[in-house]
């Protein structure tokens, strides 16, 4: 996340971006094949998926202010859902939670077919969990999702903005 002048607001990843990157790399692999180095699209996609799910926690300084924190994997493996953020500081303030717009079950189905063999069952489960999650988190009359949600689907009000429990900016992207 950047300010208009290009300085970083938050240097941590937005998990939905990595989801799109991994899927785009698989599509590139299937369309153009795989070359060497960074042009081995399949290898790059597999490495990214492995890191998104299996990366061990990393402690250190982040952001220009060198704030110290611990970053976890981008997926909560217990709930089989994408996290809002991997940042443990955010967990302590807001609890580990998700963003409904980050759930991309069609991608997870592709990863179950194309991803690292050891994780294929996880990705198949994640696709089902995400589809079930949409039913839980969307409003029964409007079908609209909140910006943020707990893993059980209930709306999540962030410490910095209670409005995140409502359909707003992030929720517009919920597929």
């Amino acid at each position: 996340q950047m300010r208009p002048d290009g300085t970083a607001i938050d240097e941590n990843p937005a998990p939905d971006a990595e989801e799109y990157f991994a899927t785009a790399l698989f599509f590139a692999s299937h369309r153009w094949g795989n070359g060497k180095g960074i042009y081995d699209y399949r290898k790059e996609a597999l490495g990214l998926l492995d890191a998104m799910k299996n990366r061990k926690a990393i402690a250190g300084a982040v952001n220009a202010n060198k704030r110290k924190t611990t970053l976890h994997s981008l997926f909560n493996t217990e709930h089989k859902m994408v996290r809002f953020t991997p940042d443990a500081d955010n967990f302590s303030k807001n609890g580990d939670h998700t963003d409904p717009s980050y759930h991309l079950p069609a991608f997870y189905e592709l990863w179950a077919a194309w991803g690292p063999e050891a994780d294929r069952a996880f990705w198949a489960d994640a696709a089902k969990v995400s589809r079930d999650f949409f039913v839980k988190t969307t409003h029964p009359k409007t079908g609209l999702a909140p910006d943020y949600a707990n893993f059980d689907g209930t709306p999540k009000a962030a410490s910095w903005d209670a409005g995140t429990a409502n359909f707003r900016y992030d929720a517009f992207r919920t597929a």
Side-chain angles (χ1 to χ4, degrees):
Q1 185 180 24
M2 308 294 278
R3 289 187 173 87
D5 68 2
T7 58
I9 295 170
D10 189 350
E11 296 169 356
N12 291 324
D16 59 327
E18 277 74 2
E19 292 177 306
Y20 281 96
F21 297 154
T23 303
L25 287 164
F26 279 126
F27 285 166
S29 171
H30 285 95
R31 179 162 186 169
W32 297 301
N34 299 296
K36 295 183 188 300
I38 64 169
Y39 301 104
D40 188 342
Y41 303 121
R42 184 175 191 286
K43 179 181 172 198
E44 295 293 321
L46 292 172
L48 183 53
L49 278 187
D50 181 62
M52 288 167 58
K53 178 187 170 280
N54 300 314
R55 185 189 74 204
K56 301 295 181 212
I58 301 170
V62 295
N63 296 343
N65 65 5
K66 303 300 180 206
R67 174 178 63 87
K68 293 194 186 311
T69 191
T70 300
L71 300 177
H72 294 274
S73 64
L74 301 184
F75 277 78
N76 179 301
T77 55
E78 176 188 349
H79 294 285
K80 298 183 179 179
M81 289 190 202
V82 63
R83 290 181 154 124
F84 169 68
T85 179
D87 190 343
D89 280 354
N90 189 279
F91 297 175
S92 66
K93 294 173 191 155
N94 294 290
D96 193 4
H97 63 284
T98 190
D99 179 325
S101 75
Y102 291 7
H103 286 252
L104 300 168
F107 286 12
Y108 309 155
E109 286 180 347
L110 294 175
W111 302 350
W114 302 338
E117 288 190 34
D119 293 330
R120 287 181 178 180
F122 174 87
W123 295 122
D125 290 345
K128 180 178 181 349
V129 166
S130 282
R131 286 196 169 91
D132 292 344
F133 173 76
F134 285 140
V135 174
K136 294 175 189 173
T137 199
T138 54
H139 190 276
K141 290 185 180 176
T142 66
L144 301 176
D147 267 4
Y148 306 151
N150 294 302
F151 294 122
D152 66 3
T154 57
K156 177 71 179 171
S159 61
W160 64 90
D161 181 355
T164 59
N166 301 315
F167 174 79
R168 297 194 329 174
Y169 317 108
D170 276 19
F172 278 98
R173 304 176 305 187
T174 305

